[in-house]
Amino acid sequence: MGWFSKDIATLDDLFVHTSRDIYYAENQITKALPDMVEKAPSAELKRGFETHWRETEGQITRLKEVFRLHGVEEKGVTCPAIDRILKEANEVAGEVEDKRVLDAALIAAAQAVEHYEITRYGTLVVWAKQLGRNDWASLLKQNLDEEAATDAKLALDGINRKAA
Ligand SMILES: [Fe+2]
Ligand SMILES: [Fe+2]
């Protein structure tokens, strides 16, 4: 189903489609995070990825709750954007040998993921409110806040990283 498919007629349809997009993305991210934990050269970054891995499990649970409250089937729709971001992260990380540079590459890749999630959740929170569903909005806002906090931590890691 494409973005402008005739299956999407209302803001509510768009909300469901976009929730399924980020649900798919979160599931891809949980599959990618163990690899990032393994690749991260610094103990601090490893810990950061592990923490966000656990958070991601919680975010998936909240999305399931949104589907349940909405009364729609809990399922994902393929999101080519996150697939490409994760693929690029893998490719770049595979090419870097210097540990400090690899740290920087992984931070940059992870920030790209967080920014994708922030844009999706930011939109979904606004739409949930427009649809009069503060219950959906509050669950999605919790995910949004975790992504924003993770992005801020990653940015700080990047700044504090010893120069190569
Ligand atoms: Fe997430
Ligand atoms: Fe995230």
Side-chain angles (χ1 to χ4, degrees):
M1 184 167 70
W3 268 99
F4 298 106
S5 140
K6 60 182 183 316
D7 295 326
I8 300 172
T10 64
L11 183 63
D12 188 65
D13 296 337
L14 195 56
F15 175 87
V16 171
H17 178 81
T18 307
S19 300
R20 287 175 171 161
D21 169 296
I22 191 70
Y23 181 70
Y24 171 89
E26 293 289 14
N27 279 288
Q28 295 306 105
I29 293 163
T30 37
K31 284 185 218 155
L33 272 166
D35 193 43
M36 291 180 78
V37 169
E38 200 180 300
K39 278 187 187 146
S42 81
E44 200 182 341
L45 192 58
K46 243 183 228 301
R47 266 198 307 277
F49 286 150
E50 273 165 357
T51 302
H52 199 50
W53 187 4
R54 282 194 300 276
E55 277 177 348
T56 301
E57 303 286 353
Q59 292 169 355
I60 290 172
T61 303
R62 286 190 201 110
L63 284 172
K64 287 182 177 172
E65 181 63 7
V66 169
F67 292 131
R68 194 191 65 77
L69 288 165
H70 192 297
V72 290
E73 190 192 343
E74 157 201 320
K75 65 170 189 183
V77 291
T78 305
C79 166
I82 199 70
D83 283 341
R84 196 62 196 88
I85 289 171
L86 292 171
K87 186 167 183 270
E88 188 182 73
N90 234 332
E91 284 167 3
V92 171
E95 283 167 12
V96 181
E97 276 184 31
D98 184 302
K99 298 266 179 260
R100 285 166 301 184
V101 181
L102 179 57
D103 233 33
L106 288 172
I107 288 170
Q111 279 195 275
V113 172
E114 296 316 308
H115 282 239
Y116 179 76
E117 294 181 288
I118 288 166
T119 187
R120 282 289 175 259
Y121 284 124
T123 297
L124 284 169
V125 169
V126 170
W127 288 347
K129 286 182 183 163
Q130 285 173 354
L131 291 163
R133 295 298 301 253
N134 285 330
D135 52 345
W136 306 343
S138 110
L139 286 159
L140 294 161
K141 176 73 167 58
Q142 290 174 59
N143 285 8
L144 175 62
D145 289 347
E146 283 178 357
E147 310 299 10
T150 300
D151 179 55
K153 270 187 249 159
L154 285 163
L156 206 63
D157 276 358
I159 291 163
N160 292 339
R161 201 175 54 85
K162 287 188 202 77

